[in-house]
Amino acid sequence: LAAAAAIEAEAGGPGPLLETVNRGYIAEMRAHAFDEAPMEQPGGGGYAHYYRQNIADSPQGATARTKLRRLVQELSSLSGDGNLPLAAESAILALRDEARMDVLKVGGWLGHGRPPQPRSPSRRLAPPHLTPPPRRSAR
């Protein structure tokens, strides 16, 4: 804690320290904010993706032209420099499959002391103050 306080004091306080951290973080992560990588498993084993069955059920050639055109527009707007929020305290990162533009993975996190809420795929994400308390079993 003393070392952290010394670094903060050297930077001129918490505000300038956060600005310094953000500049370094953004410089390193800018290239990865919207990136592409192969997501298909080697040997044609499908995709390592939560929606792998939906991806398998809709082959790439079966996508309508209007859907592809709209997808290209959306991806080009997302891939522009600075179009996705990127900072050390909160960010959104998107990864697109290099072979299929309709296969994406998106991740993000919130800062300011709000840890991410655990979520199962079957439960919709709700803010903590709107999430109902867990049910107790009747005895």
Side-chain angles (χ1 to χ4, degrees):
L1 245 150
I7 293 170
E8 187 176 282
E10 184 180 314
L17 178 61
L18 183 57
E19 289 174 22
T20 303
V21 169
N22 270 335
R23 277 195 304 272
Y25 183 82
I26 291 169
E28 291 293 322
M29 294 298 292
R30 180 171 280 133
H32 305 290
F34 189 89
D35 208 355
E36 67 177 44
M39 289 188 209
E40 190 169 14
Q41 295 179 0
Y47 282 83
H49 198 287
Y50 179 76
Y51 293 105
R52 65 184 158 272
Q53 189 59 50
N54 296 37
I55 295 167
D57 290 345
S58 59
Q60 186 173 5
T63 308
R65 282 182 174 262
T66 54
K67 180 181 176 184
L68 280 176
R69 190 174 304 123
R70 181 69 179 148
L71 191 56
V72 167
Q73 288 174 344
E74 291 294 330
L75 291 177
S76 65
S77 70
L78 286 175
S79 65
D81 192 27
N83 290 344
L84 290 173
L86 183 62
E89 69 272 6
S90 60
I92 295 176
L93 304 175
L95 184 66
R96 182 182 76 83
D97 182 50
E98 65 182 17
R100 288 187 62 168
M101 71 173 65
D102 61 336
V103 177
L104 298 164
K105 287 186 180 183
V106 178
W109 58 91
L110 302 172
H112 306 291
R114 292 182 56 189
Q117 299 297 313
R119 168 174 96 89
S120 68
S122 63
R123 196 178 122 211
R124 83 179 167 81
L125 186 60
H129 65 283
L130 297 178
T131 305
R135 293 184 181 182
R136 293 186 179 169
S137 60
R139 290 185 187 197

